[in-house]
Amino acid sequence: MAKKRAEDEATSIGDAAPFVEEIQRGAAEEADKVLSRARRTAQARLDEAQRQVAAEVEQILSAAKARADTEQRRILSDLSLETKKTTLKARAELALDVLGEVRARLERSRGTPEYRAMLKAFAIEGIRALDRDEVTVSVSRADEPMANAAFFDEVARDCGRPVTITPASALDEKVMGVVVRAADGSVLFDNTIDARMDRLADELQLIVSHEVFVSEAEPQT
C-alpha cells in the first residue's frame, strides 16, 4: 500500500515538472522585463538630470560671459577716457609751454620796432573796446621811452574816431602791453601780455574740459 502511494507521488511530481519549469521560466522573463523597465527609467532620469545640469551650467556660463563682456567694455571705456584725458592734458601743458615761449620771445624783442607796433595795436584795441572819448593808457616803465608823445599821437590818429589819450602812471617793469582806463576810472581794459596769456589759458582749459566731459556723457556702445 505504501509502495503504491510512493509510486503515485513520483508520477504526480513527474507530471508537474513541466508546469513548474514554465512557472520558473515565466518568472524569470517577468523579472527581466521589470529589470529592463527599471533600467530604462533610471537611464531616462539620468539623461534628464544631465540635461538639467547642462542647461544650468550653460546659463551660468552665459551669465558669467555677459558680466565679463560688460566689465571688459567698462574697462576699455575707462581706459579710452583716461587715455584721452592724458592726451588732452599733455596738449594743454604743451600749449602753456608754447605760451611761455612766446612770452620769453616778446621779452627779448623789447625795444624793437616790432614790439612798438605791438604796443600800439594793444592800445588801439583797448581804446576801441572801452568806446570812451577820454581814456588813460599805462605802459611799463621799461616801455616808456618808446611810448612817447609821438606814439600816443599815432594811436589816437589810428583809432578810427576822435579820442583824447592821457598817459597814466607806469606799470611794473616786467609788465608788457598796456592797460587802458576810462578817464573817470569806471572801467578798464587790461591788455597786457600776462592778461592775454591768462585769457588764452582759460580758453584752453575750457576746450580741454569740454572735450573730456562731452566724452564722459556720450553713451557707451
Side-chain angles (χ1 to χ4, degrees), residues 10-195:
T11 300
S12 175
I13 291 172
D15 292 340
F19 180 70
V20 172
E21 291 176 358
E22 181 63 24
I23 291 174
Q24 291 174 339
R25 186 167 52 252
E29 291 176 355
E30 188 62 27
D32 288 341
K33 290 179 181 179
V34 170
L35 288 174
S36 179
R37 284 197 301 271
R39 292 192 189 99
R40 289 196 300 271
T41 300
Q43 186 62 45
R45 290 177 179 174
L46 178 61
D47 292 343
E48 179 61 25
Q50 289 176 338
R51 281 193 296 270
Q52 290 180 357
V53 170
E56 290 177 2
V57 169
E58 178 64 24
Q59 185 177 5
I60 292 171
L61 290 177
S62 178
K65 183 177 183 301
R67 287 194 299 271
D69 290 344
T70 300
E71 182 66 11
Q72 182 183 33
R73 286 194 297 270
R74 186 190 66 77
I75 292 173
L76 291 176
S77 176
D78 290 347
L79 179 60
S80 175
L81 181 58
E82 288 303 318
T83 300
K84 188 167 187 178
K85 284 182 178 179
T86 301
T87 302
L88 291 172
K89 181 180 178 182
R91 289 179 183 173
E93 291 175 350
L94 177 61
L96 293 177
D97 288 343
V98 170
L99 293 178
E101 178 58 32
V102 169
R103 192 184 196 289
R105 189 166 64 248
L106 288 173
E107 288 179 346
R108 293 192 295 269
S109 74
R110 271 185 148 168
T112 65
E114 292 77 17
Y115 185 85
R116 183 180 187 277
M118 181 196 73
L119 277 183
K120 177 182 172 181
F122 283 7
I124 292 173
E125 182 182 23
I127 292 169
R128 288 176 175 173
L130 292 186
D131 194 23
R132 298 297 178 91
D133 295 333
E134 296 183 9
V135 299
T136 65
V137 177
S138 301
V139 300
S140 167
R141 285 191 293 271
D143 295 332
E144 279 184 330
M146 66 173 53
N148 51 23
F151 173 84
F152 286 114
D153 286 343
E154 290 178 24
V155 171
R157 183 191 64 210
D158 294 339
C159 275
R161 61 177 181 78
V163 61
T164 301
I165 303 173
T166 302
S169 58
L171 305 174
D172 185 88
E173 288 186 358
K174 294 182 180 180
V175 175
M176 294 182 290
V178 303
V179 174
V180 182
R181 292 180 175 87
D184 59 6
S186 57
V187 290
L188 67 82
F189 188 90
D190 188 344
N191 215 12
T192 60
I193 292 297
D194 287 340

